[in-house]
Amino acid sequence: MKRALITGITGQDGSYLAELLLSKGYEVYGLWRRKSVVDYGNVEHIKDRIRFIYGDMTDPISLIAAMRISQADEVYNLAAQSFVTTSWEQPLATADIDGIGVTNILEAIRIVKPSARCYQASTSEMFGLVQETPQTEKTPFYPRSPYGVAKLYGHWITKNYRESYGLFACSGILFNHESERRGAEFVTRKITRAVALMTQGLQDVLELGNMDAKRDWGHAQDYVRAMWLMLQQDEADDYVIATHETRTVREFVETAFAQVGTTLEWSGSGVDEVGRDAQNGKVLVRVNPSFFRPAEVEILLGNPAKAESVLGWRREITFPELVSRMVRRDMDLVRLQAERS
């Protein structure tokens, strides 16, 4: 029985990965921070099948202890301050967790069990002001946020430990991936939750930032499968994981509203743009300048050809299905909340 240690196990990716590994017969250990109130997050339904270890990415001693307790054969480092907007508000904390924290876990592996295989969660935000489209493993990086900069450090230190110490350490450069378990602070979940609330008359208008920003959106369930595949190879390497399709925020909004039978018509442009219900003319979406990033990332589009040829990975969940799943889940949550109140 293989042993796996997952940092960030209660998050979106951590929960899907835990499910995948459990289905493959792994003994799964999860690193989590001590809180005043116990919160299992997205792994509430499988908490009895996971062995939890208290630790923190900024505390190297706790990570060494976690490696000693778990004796993990595979380590998946998914823990991060992962909200781009917050990285401008908390740049030092983001650097500590997303940058130095990666070094801490790599050191723990090197000291305790250097034979363990390690996956590092890199991100398409490292491309930032993109130097070519689509982006591949060879595209130069140009991060445009403290989050992207911190993640770039984590990416390069992983490569450095692989080349310097011979660790089996891979980085997955994952493009935007969402799901029904996405945190409420992310724009995709903000959209689908707003649609659900509007259908119940609990919200009037959805306010968003740059409607023209383009992203390559996939489903997290597909992407965690790629993480596992990377650690099953004969040699460690880095891979872009993406759908090779790009959509604007506006398209995401339109697809979400379409799930409840609402068609949007747009008027105005830039900060004056609004989306109206095509049937009754009511304003449902409005651009709010305060939601624009200080330095915008206009387009992200990944080419997963290497992952497809080497790993045999394929995206299975389409963009429309992704949005549909998110809207349906939020509809269920809103109805449940209404019943309880």
Side-chain angles (χ1 to χ4, degrees), residues 94-111:
T94 301
D96 282 343
I97 299 166
D98 298 5
I100 301 302
V102 182
T103 310
N104 291 337
I105 191 68
L106 288 169
E107 272 292 280
I109 294 169
R110 187 178 71 86
I111 292 169

Side-chain angles (χ1 to χ4, degrees), residues 240-301:
V240 162
I241 305 300
T243 70
H244 210 185
E245 296 176 357
T246 188
R247 314 272 181 164
T248 63
V249 174
R250 186 183 295 101
E251 286 179 271
F252 196 107
V253 173
E254 291 172 343
T255 305
F257 273 98
Q259 302 304 311
V260 294
T262 300
T263 301
L264 294 177
E265 291 182 344
W266 302 93
S267 61
S269 61
V271 297
D272 297 319
E273 185 172 17
V274 296
R276 301 176 186 274
D277 186 327
Q279 191 171 21
N280 58 32
K282 181 183 178 182
V283 173
L284 300 179
V285 185
R286 181 180 293 118
V287 172
N288 185 334
S290 67
F291 293 135
F292 279 69
R293 293 182 180 186
E296 185 58 78
V297 175
E298 296 293 345
I299 180 171
L300 292 173
L301 174 63

Side-chain angles (χ1 to χ4, degrees), residues 62-79:
S62 70
L63 299 182
I64 290 173
M67 281 300 300
R68 285 178 175 158
I69 294 168
S70 67
Q71 288 297 310
D73 302 296
E74 297 174 4
V75 178
Y76 296 86
N77 183 36
L78 310 184

